[in-house]
Amino acid sequence: ETVLFPSEGRETQAQFGSSVTTEFISESEEGGSYESSTLLAVGAPGDSSGATERGSVYLYLVTESDEGSSASLLDVVSPGLGAYSHFGGSIALSMSDNGVVQGAISAAGQDSSGSVLVFLSLYTPSTGMVSGAYQRIHPSAATSGSSFGHSVNFHRNIIAIGAPGDTAAGQSPATGAVYVYQIVDNNRIQMQNTLRIGTGTADAQGLKDSEYVPQAHAGYGSSVAIAGSSLFVGVPLGDLSTAASDDSQGDDGSDDGD
C-alpha cells in the first residue's frame, strides 16, 4: 500500500483526506508489460497555507504496472481565496471529450453558503500541465447555511451540486436542493435546473428529482451521482414513510431518473 501525507509545513489541522476522488487517464500493454495512469485528487480543506483554513487540493499521478504502484505529486492547487474558505471539502473529476481532466471543487466559506470552483483544464495528460484557472459558481439562492457544494458530481459536461441546507420560498427550512449545470460552447457554464424535493420537475437532459414530500433538515442533496441521464440524490435523514406513491421508485425508494 502507498500512504500519502500533506507537504511539509502543511500538516497541522489540514484535514488532508477529507475528500478523495480519481479519474482514469490511460492504460497500455506492450511486450507483455502492463501500465496504467490515474489522476488522484485529495482535499485538505483545513490547510492554512496563505490564509487560515483556506484549503487546498493535492493532485497525484498514480501509476500501476507489473512491478507495483506509485503516486507522484503533480501540484497543490490552492486558489487565492480568503480565510475559512475550506476549499477541497468535496471534489469531482471528469475527462472531457478533448482528453483534459476537468474538476469541480467546493469552497464552503465561513458562513457555509458555499460555492464551487470549476477547473476546465485542471490536468492535461499530454503535456503534464496543471492549470489553476477556474470559474466560480455561486447561485443567488445559496445563502448562509445552504452548504452549496456539500456534494458534487461531474460527468462529461454535466455538473450536479448538492445543497442540503438550501431553503426555498414557501418550504420548510433546509429542505435541500440539487443544482444542475452544463458546460456549453466556448466553455461557458450554464445552469440547467434546480431540483427540489417533491417538485417532480425535469430539465432538458432528462434529469429529474424524486417525488418525496419536502422535509426539513432531511439532507436532500447530501450526496449526488450522475449515471447517463439519471441523477441519484442522497436523503440520509429522510422519512420514507412520507414518500409519495410513484411506480418509478424501487423498493428502496430510489428514483430511476427516467
Side-chain angles (χ1 to χ4, degrees):
E1 64 180 27
T2 301
V3 181
L4 303 175
F5 297 95
S7 302
E8 185 176 354
R10 292 175 178 253
E11 304 94 339
T12 304
Q13 297 181 341
Q15 299 172 30
F16 179 81
S18 292
S19 56
V20 178
T21 192
T22 61
E23 181 66 21
F24 174 78
I25 296 175
S26 65
E27 63 180 350
S28 63
E29 188 169 0
E30 296 181 6
S33 297
Y34 173 83
E35 183 173 292
S36 69
S37 60
T38 301
L39 184 67
L40 166 67
V42 181
D47 189 347
S48 294
S49 300
T52 303
E53 296 183 26
R54 170 186 284 176
S56 63
V57 170
Y58 287 69
L59 296 180
Y60 298 88
L61 185 64
V62 179
T63 303
E64 295 187 346
S65 67
D66 297 333
E67 286 73 37
S69 63
S70 63
S72 57
L73 180 64
L74 296 171
D75 204 350
V76 179
V77 180
S78 183
L81 305 177
Y84 303 102
S85 292
H86 300 130
F87 173 75
S90 59
I91 310 171
L93 301 176
S94 177
M95 182 71 76
S96 69
D97 291 337
N98 60 357
V100 175
V101 179
Q102 308 166 117
I105 305 173
S106 71
Q110 190 165 6
D111 65 352
S112 296
S113 59
S115 63
V116 170
L117 277 55
V118 179
F119 299 78
L120 296 179
S121 300
L122 182 61
Y123 177 64
T124 304
S126 61
T127 63
M129 296 295 294
V130 173
S131 172
Y134 65 87
Q135 298 181 47
R136 180 175 179 263
I137 302 175
H138 178 79
S140 58
T143 57
S144 178
S146 290
S147 296
F148 176 82
H150 179 87
S151 61
V152 60
N153 195 259
F154 204 154
H155 179 67
R156 299 179 70 86
N157 66 333
I158 299 294
I159 307 171
I161 302 172
D166 189 279
T167 299
Q171 286 192 351
S172 300
T175 49
V178 174
Y179 293 78
V180 180
Y181 296 85
Q182 183 178 16
I183 300 172
V184 296
D185 296 339
N186 301 318
N187 284 337
R188 291 186 299 108
I189 300 174
Q190 179 176 300
M191 178 181 281
Q192 292 295 299
N193 205 353
T194 303
L195 308 180
R196 300 186 187 280
I197 201 162
T199 62
T201 58
D203 69 0
Q205 301 296 316
L207 299 170
K208 69 178 183 179
D209 72 352
S210 66
E211 297 294 339
Y212 290 118
V213 174
Q215 301 170 44
H217 306 288
Y220 177 81
S222 292
S223 56
V224 292
I226 303 171
S229 62
S230 297
L231 173 65
F232 300 89
V233 181
V235 193
L237 302 178
D239 180 1
L240 297 185
S241 66
T242 64
S245 176
D246 186 345
D247 291 339
S248 69
Q249 293 176 349
D251 294 338
D252 60 354
S254 62
D255 191 332
D256 66 3
D258 294 333

